[in-house]
Amino acid sequence: MRGDKLTILKIVAAFFIILSLGSGSAWGAVGCDLNEPDKDVKRLFPGSTGFKTIELELQKLGGQKLAAKVEAKLRDKLHGLYETIDVPYTLYVIYANKKKIGYIHGVNQKGRYGGISIFLVMDLDERIKTLYIQKMSGEYAGKFRDAEFGKQFSGLTLADFETYEVLTRKGTGKVLEITNPAPEAEHDFRYILRGTKKNLILVNEFLRMSPAMSQKKGAPAK
């Protein structure tokens, strides 16, 4: 009887190993969606009446060539579980009645204590209205998730981040004026700035390639 149980356990273990090997990219890709889209969109984008979602992947839009382009603009390599070429992204297109008024887009960024989910609320010119951190761990996470921290990014665009070096935190311009609310967590602060630049780059590339996007409806614009 004991031998039969061991055999069954071995078969089950082998099954899961084969399953994980056969679908490694699907298991590895980690997307970033709003937890409660209907409520979150209304809260983050006052005046909105609805939204649609557009699902995107670097792999489907341009593959390694597009990934290399993103890396060149980021001035850093895409790496880790949150930045594989098959990561699914969701762009929320925001409406006021039938008029498109902006976008919300999120990315996962590796932090000191795990993933940081960084959402940017943007107008049609890809200018940040506010930054929203949906998920973050660590002793000082509350300070970074505070709305006052997110407001510091208001008005910034990709152009403001172009000279910002994500590896050294050197550069010029308004990005360097953003105040770290938790100096003890300098690494996480830098991770958030890196994730923000990555987010802006992705949105810019996704919108430039809009004819190739596959769409699916979210809450319908009224």
Side-chain angles (χ1 to χ4, degrees):
M1 183 66 71
R2 184 178 178 183
D4 291 341
K5 287 183 178 180
L6 287 173
T7 300
I8 293 172
L9 289 173
K10 289 179 180 179
I11 292 172
V12 171
F15 170 78
F16 280 107
I17 290 172
I18 293 170
L19 183 62
S20 63
L21 290 174
S23 57
S25 62
W27 282 42
V30 179
C32 186
D33 295 329
L34 289 168
N35 287 337
E36 298 183 275
D38 293 325
K39 293 181 180 179
D40 291 334
V41 167
K42 289 181 180 179
R43 175 175 55 83
L44 295 171
F45 225 118
S48 63
T49 59
F51 66 92
K52 291 182 180 179
T53 59
I54 301 176
E55 297 182 342
L56 310 127
E57 285 182 24
L58 291 177
Q59 184 169 256
K60 293 179 179 178
L61 289 176
Q64 291 294 344
K65 185 177 181 180
L66 179 56
K69 186 176 181 181
V70 171
E71 288 180 334
K73 289 186 175 183
L74 184 62
R75 298 179 188 176
D76 191 15
K77 290 290 185 181
L78 297 176
H79 50 77
L81 199 61
Y82 304 121
E83 298 181 346
T84 59
I85 198 170
D86 60 338
V87 166
Y89 295 97
T90 301
L91 179 67
Y92 298 83
V93 183
I94 315 302
Y95 291 85
N97 297 316
K98 295 183 178 180
K99 183 179 179 182
K100 183 166 67 173
I101 59 174
Y103 312 100
I104 297 175
H105 185 262
V107 300
N108 284 315
Q109 166 65 47
K110 177 185 177 296
R112 189 175 181 185
Y113 300 104
I116 305 173
S117 298
I118 303 168
F119 283 87
L120 297 182
V121 182
M122 295 171 283
D123 64 20
L124 294 178
D125 294 320
E126 301 170 47
R127 189 179 305 277
I128 299 174
K129 295 170 69 67
T130 192
L131 174 145
Y132 164 58
I133 295 180
Q134 178 172 262
K135 184 188 74 172
M136 182 178 179
S137 300
E139 181 181 355
Y140 303 101
K143 292 186 177 182
F144 290 110
R145 298 191 66 206
D146 189 276
E148 291 304 311
F149 175 66
K151 289 178 182 177
Q152 291 192 74
F153 293 79
S154 178
L156 298 180
T157 66
L158 178 56
D160 294 305
F161 275 84
E162 283 180 345
T163 60
Y164 175 73
E165 298 286 348
V166 298
L167 294 176
T168 63
R169 209 197 163 220
K170 293 181 179 179
T172 59
K174 297 179 180 178
V175 176
L176 297 184
E177 297 175 8
I178 298 172
T179 302
N180 181 359
E184 305 90 340
E186 178 66 19
H187 284 89
D188 276 332
F189 179 59
R190 293 191 183 194
Y191 287 137
I192 290 170
L193 292 181
R194 181 188 184 279
T196 300
K197 182 174 183 179
K198 178 178 71 174
N199 201 335
L200 286 167
I201 292 169
L202 288 172
V203 170
N204 183 256
E205 290 299 325
F206 290 157
L207 292 177
R208 282 162 53 88
M209 304 182 73
S210 57
M213 291 180 182
S214 59
Q215 297 190 23
K216 97 176 171 178
K217 290 186 177 182
K222 299 177 181 178

